[in-house]
Amino acid sequence: MESGKQCGVPEFPTAENVEVPTEISVVDILENKLAVGSIVNSVEEAYLLYCQYAHAKGFSVRKGDQRCFPKTNELQSKEFNCSCEGKKDEKCSSKRIPVYQKLITRTKCKARLKITREKEGVWQNAMVNAGISVSNAVSFMENEACGPQNVGFIRKDAYDHMSRLKKHTKVENGDATALIQYFIQKANKENYFYWNVQLDDDDRVMNFFFRDYKCAVDYEYFGDVLSIDTTYRSNKYNLICAPFIGINHHMQNVLFGLAFMSDETEASFEWLFTTFLDAMYGKQHESIFSDQCQAMMNAIETMNLMPRGHI
């Protein structure tokens, strides 16, 4: 065999204008199609893509757990696992000596693909719906792609896309009416209870915020440093849970207020911060901690809400 050649590897033309296909390029293409937050048309498409990826990487795939929407047979999520997932069953139904030694294939491999969707929505990787913010998901993809220039979209595109997907998560009329009635009853019983609701163009509840008297008192004493976290979501409507948190003199967390939002747009955050300041009689914080959501950061800068620091 001649030096520099490998047995079994085909030779390709070496002209500069000819692109040489390699296994790595195939894997890269499949990884992009299976990237965090990517969208597929069906469960079958995701399965075939993952099987192709597994074949290129040298392992096989088997179908794993699945979950349906409550009280329906409609699929909500599906997992595809490496065939080596799990461990060998140590139980033995017979004490007879086996004629041959069975090959151990279950080696606790953790490789898997999970896809999920909202009801009547598109199938996508479960990372965003698992409580990871859009900002963190995009940062992960930028890191995996060795830079934001290789992702194929900018952060604003990701926020706009997620906002479009979540338009159907507005609170239904019956639940919205019950919510507002609860707020009214609570305000009638507690003089200092504060609440506010933002409606969309169809008069559906988009965002709402509330705080009680203790929240206002705690903010008066401990509101110099404010933390806002938007990485959690509710189960039914997939609403963003946004607690306003501070730290008291015992180094314990205290709640200043709680909001639920249907999207993470700059307009929604501007409404939220305006409402929060109104609830706290205009008192501003000195420093603010956030989860680096770009839309939130834009709203903070637009409203000039970080006089000393923003982390």
Side-chain angles (χ1 to χ4, degrees):
M1 183 169 61
E2 296 181 10
S3 175
K5 294 185 180 180
Q6 296 180 355
C7 182
V9 178
E11 296 183 19
F12 297 100
T14 58
E16 295 181 358
N17 60 342
V18 178
E19 183 179 354
V20 179
T22 66
E23 182 181 2
I24 296 178
S25 64
V26 173
V27 172
D28 288 342
I29 292 172
L30 292 171
E31 285 182 344
N32 288 334
K33 291 182 178 180
L34 295 169
V36 173
S38 58
I39 296 173
V40 293
N41 295 320
S42 65
V43 176
E44 291 74 19
E45 180 182 342
Y47 177 64
L48 291 175
L49 283 172
Y50 196 49
C51 286
Q52 292 174 6
Y53 173 77
H55 178 73
K57 297 291 287 187
F59 67 96
S60 58
V61 176
R62 61 186 176 87
K63 296 179 180 180
D65 295 337
Q66 64 183 36
R67 181 179 178 183
C68 294
F69 290 102
K71 301 180 180 180
T72 70
N73 293 324
E74 188 177 354
L75 203 60
Q76 180 181 17
S77 64
K78 180 71 177 178
E79 292 185 6
F80 304 107
N81 303 318
C82 172
S83 56
C84 295
E85 183 266 345
K87 62 179 181 179
K88 178 185 176 183
D89 188 359
E90 300 294 340
K91 295 181 181 180
C92 183
S93 59
S94 174
K95 295 183 180 180
R96 291 180 298 178
I97 299 175
V99 178
Y100 60 91
Q101 188 67 34
K102 201 172 190 179
L103 181 65
I104 297 176
T105 59
R106 299 295 181 93
T107 57
K108 300 182 181 180
C109 180
K110 301 295 185 181
R112 67 168 184 164
L113 172 72
K114 182 177 181 180
I115 60 172
T116 186
R117 64 169 179 166
E118 300 302 324
K119 198 169 181 63
E120 300 179 359
V122 295
W123 288 101
Q124 61 180 356
N125 186 293
M127 186 175 183
V128 173
N129 290 340
I132 299 177
S133 68
V134 177
S135 176
N136 289 340
V138 174
S139 295
F140 175 83
M141 286 186 281
E142 290 175 347
N143 182 65
E144 288 294 303
C146 300
Q149 69 277 5
N150 300 321
V151 175
F153 59 88
I154 60 176
R155 285 178 175 254
K156 185 178 184 301
D157 295 333
Y159 285 108
D160 290 344
H161 175 71
M162 293 307 299
S163 296
R164 288 193 298 270
L165 291 181
K166 294 167 188 172
K167 282 185 177 180
H168 67 283
T169 61
K170 309 288 192 306
V171 181
E172 294 176 356
N173 289 336
D175 290 340
T177 301
L179 174 69
I180 293 175
Q181 288 178 348
Y182 170 79
F183 284 155
I184 293 174
Q185 293 172 2
K186 190 78 171 175
N188 289 336
K189 293 179 181 179
E190 301 179 16
N191 293 332
Y192 293 98
F193 182 82
Y194 179 99
W195 64 277
N196 195 6
V197 172
Q198 184 183 31
L199 305 178
D200 65 5
D201 295 336
D202 298 321
D203 291 331
R204 294 183 302 172
V205 172
M206 286 181 56
N207 311 314
F208 58 92
F209 170 88
F210 61 95
R211 65 110 179 108
D212 59 14
Y213 176 70
K214 186 177 184 302
C215 291
V217 172
D218 285 340
Y219 185 76
E220 178 66 27
Y221 286 101
F222 311 116
D224 290 340
V225 178
L226 177 65
S227 174
I228 307 172
D229 189 356
T230 59
T231 58
Y232 302 96
R233 290 184 176 273
S234 63
N235 291 329
K236 183 174 181 179
Y237 291 111
N238 199 36
L239 293 173
I240 302 161
C241 179
F244 289 76
I245 305 294
I247 300 177
N248 64 16
H249 56 293
H250 294 297
M251 301 303 294
Q252 299 171 329
N253 289 342
V254 289
L255 182 67
F256 298 146
L258 184 62
F260 286 89
M261 307 169 63
S262 63
D263 58 35
E264 291 181 284
T265 62
E266 186 174 339
S268 288
F269 281 118
E270 288 182 3
W271 173 88
L272 178 61
F273 290 128
T274 299
T275 299
F276 180 77
L277 290 177
D278 182 59
M280 299 306 178
Y281 311 107
K283 177 183 176 180
Q284 289 198 21
H285 50 273
E286 294 187 2
S287 296
I288 182 170
F289 291 80
S290 72
D291 59 358
Q292 298 298 313
C293 169
Q294 188 62 48
M296 183 194 301
M297 295 171 65
N298 292 342
I300 290 172
E301 293 177 359
T302 299
M303 300 180 65
N304 194 26
L305 295 180
M306 46 181 185
R308 293 193 181 179
H310 171 241
I311 301 177

